[in-house]
């Protein structure tokens, strides 16, 4: 049987790893992937609970079941095209933040509470992003977990123009704790500071008819998607942990393929209105996640707070320092310095080397890791050299390094390690190295892509963060990594 051969190969791999091997076996049996997808589609309500003083949210991939039937290739093309649009949008935003001149007053806050929330794959809601369910007012909302967003927003009644979603629309009239945010408020000012000067890809233009009028917002993205509505307050519930007066966007006009069937976005970026900043008192500016493999059928988790005792990491946590500098100039992004990459144990060398130009952001909302051309070319060259036994296949969408692996039951995947400041090494899960375009494995691609220019910023996407515990500690200005087989903890 195919699985028997694969299990045997995995056992051999474990023995090799004990002796210093550097690779991974990827099983190519289509039946198992289909079973994983069917199991995934049967579950969409995401759990949350408090464990050992931490708040845990279940994370999952989501695919929107009401979408027209598409082939695997068509679906992959749509998702990767959307991902490319997001990357272009992020590049525009990063560049614009560099041009912002002044910095807002830093808010000093501390906290020691912890909370945990389940995180899931977004495959069921037609996106390769990850989603979690939170309580808002008297209802629930399933939202995309996004570390590059400044503001949490959901679709609201009455909705002038909204994308389809699996949960009922948020109804402000049914929530006694709901209130709109007036224009003459610090939150409305913070909204403009966070996004008002960012033109082209994400913009906000609070429109007011008077000081007491509701603060309205418009968030638009380069791929044409957008959310418009008013800034509001309501009670946010995270595994029983209540955050009263949580500021969010109540969107009455929202459109965009990236949102799939979700209710909106959870903003986990570094800005005054993000969930991280607004819960500083409860969770101390620390959160982490573990993102499951799309077809594994398992859930990941989003942990709010610094209680590492709830993690299930199999390796020690290693921390890389965030790039220091003016927080406003860096926007909501989590920047690290990438100092090297190894492929199958071989360190790659780019034409420009790994210098300050190799600053990267760690992003949960981007799927495929994108690298500046000189670094990507070096990775590609080494990858092709090590997989020379497999015939090449045509490029697909943004993926240009593809192979024909038809008829194979498993393939030895070269290990990929990312190296950050201080010699911090992070190994990419073998399931995050290859992207299977076709169900018959006739088109299997390196799951990385090149940016257009050396002057753009590399992005570590969620496809390469799978089965890792990634810890964002804004108080200590560091990002931690550890191996972890993701499961709802």
């Amino acid at each position: 049987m195919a699985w028997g051969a694969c299990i045997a190969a995995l056992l051999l791999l474990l023995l090799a790893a004990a002796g210093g091997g550097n690779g991974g076996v990827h099983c190519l049996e289509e039946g198992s992937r289909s079973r994983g997808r069917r199991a995934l589609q049967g579950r969409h309500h995401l759990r949350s609970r408090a464990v050992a003083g931490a708040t845990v949210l279940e994370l999952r991939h989501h695919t929107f079941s009401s979408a027209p039937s598409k082939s695997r290739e068509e679906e992959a093309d749509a998702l990767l095209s959307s991902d490319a649009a997001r990357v272009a949008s992020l590049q525009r935003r990063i560049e614009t933040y560099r041009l912002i001149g002044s910095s807002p007053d830093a808010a000093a806050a501390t906290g020691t509470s912890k909370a945990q929330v389940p995180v899931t794959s977004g495959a069921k809601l037609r996106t390769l992003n990850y989603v979690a369910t939170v309580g808002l007012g008297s209802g629930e909302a399933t939202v995309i977990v996004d570390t590059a967003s400044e503001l949490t927003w959901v679709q609201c009644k009455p909705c002038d123009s909204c994308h389809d979603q699996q949960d009922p629309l948020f109804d402000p009239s049914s929530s006694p704790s709901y209130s709109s945010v007036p224009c003459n408020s610090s939150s409305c000012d913070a909204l403009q500071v966070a996004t008002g000067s960012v033109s082209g890809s994400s913009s906000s233009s609070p429109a007011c008819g008077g000081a007491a009028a509701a603060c309205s917002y418009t968030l638009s993205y380069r791929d044409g998607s957008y959310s418009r509505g008013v800034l509001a307050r309501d009670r946010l519930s995270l595994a029983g942990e209540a955050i009263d007066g949580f500021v969010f966007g109540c969107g009455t006009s929202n459109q965009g393929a990236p949102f799939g069937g979700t209710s909106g976005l959870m903003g986990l970026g570094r800005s005054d209105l993000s969930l991280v900043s607004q819960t500083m008192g409860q969770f101390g500016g620390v959160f982490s996640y573990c993102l499951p493999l799309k077809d594994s059928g398992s859930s990941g988790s989003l942990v709010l707070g610094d209680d590492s005792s709830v993690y299930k990491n199999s390796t020690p946590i290693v921390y890389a320092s965030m790039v220091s500098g003016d927080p406003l100039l860096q926007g909501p992004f989590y920047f690290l310095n990438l100092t090297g990459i190894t492929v199958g144990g071989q360190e790659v060398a780019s034409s420009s080397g790994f210098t300050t130009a190799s600053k990267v952001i760690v992003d949960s909302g981007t799927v495929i890791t994108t690298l500046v051309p000189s670094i990507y070319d070096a990775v590609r060259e080494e990858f092709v050299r090590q997989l020379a036994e497999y015939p090449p296949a045509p490029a697909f969408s943004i993926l240009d390094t593809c192979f024909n692996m038809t008829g194979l039951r498993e393939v030895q995947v070269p290990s990929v390690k990312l190296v950050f400041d201080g010699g911090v090494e992070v190994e990419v899960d073998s399931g995050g190295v290859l992207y299977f375009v076709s169900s018959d494995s006739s088109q299997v691609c390196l799951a990385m892509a090149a940016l257009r220019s050396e002057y753009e910023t590399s992005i570590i996407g969620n496809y390469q963060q799978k089965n890792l515990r990634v810890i964002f500690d804004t108080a200590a200005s560091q990002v931690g990594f550890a191996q972890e087989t993701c499961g709802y903890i």
Side-chain angles (χ1 to χ4, degrees), residues 111-183:
T112 57
S113 293
K114 299 92 183 170
Q116 309 173 24
V117 186
V119 179
T120 186
S121 158
K124 186 169 184 178
L125 300 181
R126 206 179 59 233
T127 175
L128 282 179
N129 290 313
Y130 291 80
V131 295
T133 298
V134 300
L136 185 62
S138 58
E140 290 186 335
T142 299
V143 289
I144 294 173
V145 174
D146 192 350
T147 57
S149 284
E150 302 94 334
L151 179 70
T152 296
W153 63 265
V154 299
Q155 299 195 118
C156 291
K157 287 184 177 180
C159 205
D160 299 329
S161 173
C162 282
H163 62 266
D164 292 334
Q165 66 175 60
Q166 69 169 10
D167 296 322
L169 289 172
F170 176 76
D171 186 355
S173 66
S174 68
S175 176
S177 52
Y178 174 91
S179 64
S180 60
V181 172
C183 285

Side-chain angles (χ1 to χ4, degrees), residues 46-320:
L46 309 181
R47 300 159 291 175
S48 64
R49 69 175 185 269
V51 178
T55 293
V56 180
L57 298 181
E58 181 183 14
L59 288 183
R60 272 192 171 277
H61 247 291
H62 77 300
T63 299
F64 194 37
S65 59
S66 67
S69 178
K70 292 183 178 180
S71 69
R72 185 188 184 102
E73 289 78 6
E74 290 172 330
E75 188 176 87
D77 185 59
L79 291 170
L80 292 175
S81 296
S82 176
D83 198 47
R86 177 183 173 90
V87 169
S89 176
L90 290 179
Q91 297 302 328
R92 187 80 168 268
R93 291 172 62 195
I94 292 167
E95 180 58 30
T96 304
Y97 275 111
R98 292 185 182 129
L99 304 177
I100 298 176
S102 60
S103 176
D105 293 334
T110 60
T112 57
S113 293
K114 299 92 183 170
Q116 309 173 24
V117 186
V119 179
T120 186
S121 158
K124 186 169 184 178
L125 300 181
R126 206 179 59 233
T127 175
L128 282 179
N129 290 313
Y130 291 80
V131 295
T133 298
V134 300
L136 185 62
S138 58
E140 290 186 335
T142 299
V143 289
I144 294 173
V145 174
D146 192 350
T147 57
S149 284
E150 302 94 334
L151 179 70
T152 296
W153 63 265
V154 299
Q155 299 195 118
C156 291
K157 287 184 177 180
C159 205
D160 299 329
S161 173
C162 282
H163 62 266
D164 292 334
Q165 66 175 60
Q166 69 169 10
D167 296 322
L169 289 172
F170 176 76
D171 186 355
S173 66
S174 68
S175 176
S177 52
Y178 174 91
S179 64
S180 60
V181 172
C183 285
N184 61 349
S185 67
S186 59
S187 293
C188 193
D189 292 339
L191 174 66
Q192 189 156 16
V193 169
T195 58
S197 301
V198 186
S199 61
S201 59
S202 176
S203 62
S204 173
S205 52
C208 294
C215 176
S216 64
Y217 75 93
T218 297
L219 294 168
S220 57
Y221 305 90
R222 187 165 177 148
D223 64 356
S225 56
Y226 60 84
S227 175
R228 300 170 188 152
V230 297
L231 210 59
R233 295 181 184 273
D234 209 331
R235 172 174 290 191
L236 180 71
S237 178
L238 303 169
E241 182 83 24
I243 296 93
D244 291 320
F246 180 75
V247 177
F248 67 102
C250 190
T252 54
S253 181
N254 319 277
Q255 291 297 329
F259 310 138
T262 66
S263 302
L265 294 178
M266 177 191 289
L268 290 173
R270 304 178 72 186
S271 62
D272 288 346
L273 291 182
S274 74
L275 185 145
V276 181
S277 295
Q278 291 193 63
T279 60
M280 184 70 73
Q282 290 94 338
F283 307 129
V286 180
F287 71 94
S288 71
Y289 54 63
C290 189
L291 307 178
L293 298 173
K294 175 184 175 183
D295 292 334
S296 67
S298 64
S299 299
S301 60
L302 170 65
V303 177
L304 302 170
D306 61 357
D307 188 352
S308 61
S309 67
V310 300
Y311 304 161
K312 293 183 177 179
N313 52 298
S314 58
T315 62
I317 301 170
V318 291
Y319 286 94

Side-chain angles (χ1 to χ4, degrees), residues 311-454:
Y311 304 161
K312 293 183 177 179
N313 52 298
S314 58
T315 62
I317 301 170
V318 291
Y319 286 94
S321 297
M322 294 183 197
V323 175
S324 60
D326 190 325
L328 184 58
L329 302 184
Q330 296 184 44
F333 310 111
Y334 296 93
F335 283 100
L336 299 177
N337 276 325
L338 183 70
T339 60
I341 296 179
T342 65
V343 177
Q346 298 298 312
E347 184 175 357
V348 302
S350 68
S351 57
S352 62
F354 287 89
T355 64
T356 54
S358 301
K359 186 166 69 171
V360 301
I361 65 172
V362 180
D363 181 30
S364 68
T366 298
V367 179
I368 299 297
T369 290
T370 53
L371 303 169
V372 295
S374 60
I375 295 177
Y376 174 76
D377 289 345
V379 171
R380 180 184 189 277
E381 180 180 353
E382 183 61 30
F383 203 86
V384 169
R385 187 186 70 80
Q386 294 192 27
L387 292 182
E389 63 185 284
Y390 304 109
F396 183 85
S397 184
I398 60 174
L399 308 178
D400 66 4
T401 308
C402 303
F403 306 89
N404 185 342
M405 298 181 177
T406 304
L408 298 177
R409 297 286 177 84
E410 68 262 354
V411 59
Q412 187 75 29
V413 182
S415 63
V416 174
K417 289 184 180 179
L418 308 174
V419 186
F420 299 102
D421 264 347
V424 173
E425 293 187 351
V426 179
E427 183 165 358
V428 175
D429 186 272
S430 61
V433 177
L434 298 176
Y435 188 96
F436 288 77
V437 174
S438 58
S439 58
D440 63 358
S441 302
S442 62
Q443 201 170 15
V444 179
C445 304
L446 171 64
M448 293 184 180
L451 293 167
R452 294 174 298 178
S453 165
E454 292 293 320

